[in-house]
Amino acid sequence: MFSKYLIVFLISMVPLIELRGAIPVAVAFNADGAELNIAVVYIICILGNMIPVPFIYLFARRFLEWGQDKKVIGGICTFFLVKGEKGGKKLEEKAGKGLFVALMLFVGIPLPGTGAWTGTLAASLLDMNARNTIIAVLLGVIIAGVIMSLASMGVFGALSAVFANSPVQG
């Protein structure tokens, strides 16, 4: 059983997959009889998703700027710098002084291209305060974890079925 928790932990650290993919994997493990505790899975996924955040904040921008003129990695580094800066500026323009909340919601809404990795990179490119970045990303990861846990356990499907089959009061 420890190996299943370790797999979930490692998946939650992977960019683009993060806890959004790790929680459904844990639920699938349970469907196969693993009996993982969903509260423990939730905490493990949050920890796994957050471990890269300080490193991304401190080093990703420096690495991308260093690598943008290198032969092999220059194109991808430039791509991520341009994409991160555009996304960050767009977020900043829309959010104004609410950048903290905007970052939290950006990370918290489990859609492709959003998440702790992307949000942290955007915050570092915007020179957002490290402490505020980490707190906003953590809150966003917690929100995403709740959403993904409920979705993976079928709660949204059950609610949809209940409301779809209820008579309309007029």
Side-chain angles (χ1 to χ4, degrees):
M1 181 153 15
F2 174 77
S3 65
K4 303 268 191 233
Y5 283 116
L6 181 60
I7 290 168
V8 169
F9 176 76
L10 294 173
I11 290 171
S12 69
M13 294 175 72
V14 176
L16 301 176
I17 299 172
E18 302 182 28
L19 121 161
R20 294 158 166 74
I23 289 175
V25 166
V27 171
F29 284 158
N30 280 347
D32 289 341
E35 297 182 21
L36 300 177
N37 181 316
I38 197 67
V40 173
V41 164
Y42 179 74
I43 292 166
I44 286 172
C45 288
I46 289 171
L47 291 173
N49 206 169
M50 288 302 296
I51 284 175
V53 168
F55 300 101
I56 297 164
Y57 183 85
L58 293 172
F59 302 115
R61 179 180 183 172
R62 291 179 188 158
F63 173 78
L64 293 173
E65 288 172 347
W66 168 84
Q68 67 183 341
D69 62 350
K70 303 299 183 259
K71 193 173 193 175
V72 175
I73 61 171
I76 193 82
C77 287
T78 301
F79 170 80
F80 282 118
L81 274 173
V82 169
K83 187 166 179 65
E85 286 176 9
K86 279 184 184 176
K89 294 296 180 193
K90 190 174 181 182
L91 186 65
E92 190 174 39
E93 287 170 9
K94 288 185 177 182
K97 292 186 179 189
L99 188 56
F100 178 92
V101 172
L103 178 61
M104 178 186 68
L105 294 175
F106 177 82
V107 173
I109 298 171
L111 295 171
T114 67
W117 282 74
T118 308
T120 304
L121 178 59
S124 74
L125 292 172
L126 290 172
D127 293 320
M128 192 171 163
N129 174 289
R131 180 179 168 273
N132 290 344
T133 297
I134 291 171
I135 293 170
V137 170
L138 174 61
L139 293 173
V141 166
I142 290 168
I143 292 167
V146 168
I147 293 169
M148 290 309 302
S149 295
L150 293 173
S152 296
M153 292 184 293
V155 173
F156 295 134
L159 288 174
S160 173
V162 167
F163 290 113
N165 294 324
S166 65
V168 177
Q169 300 290 327

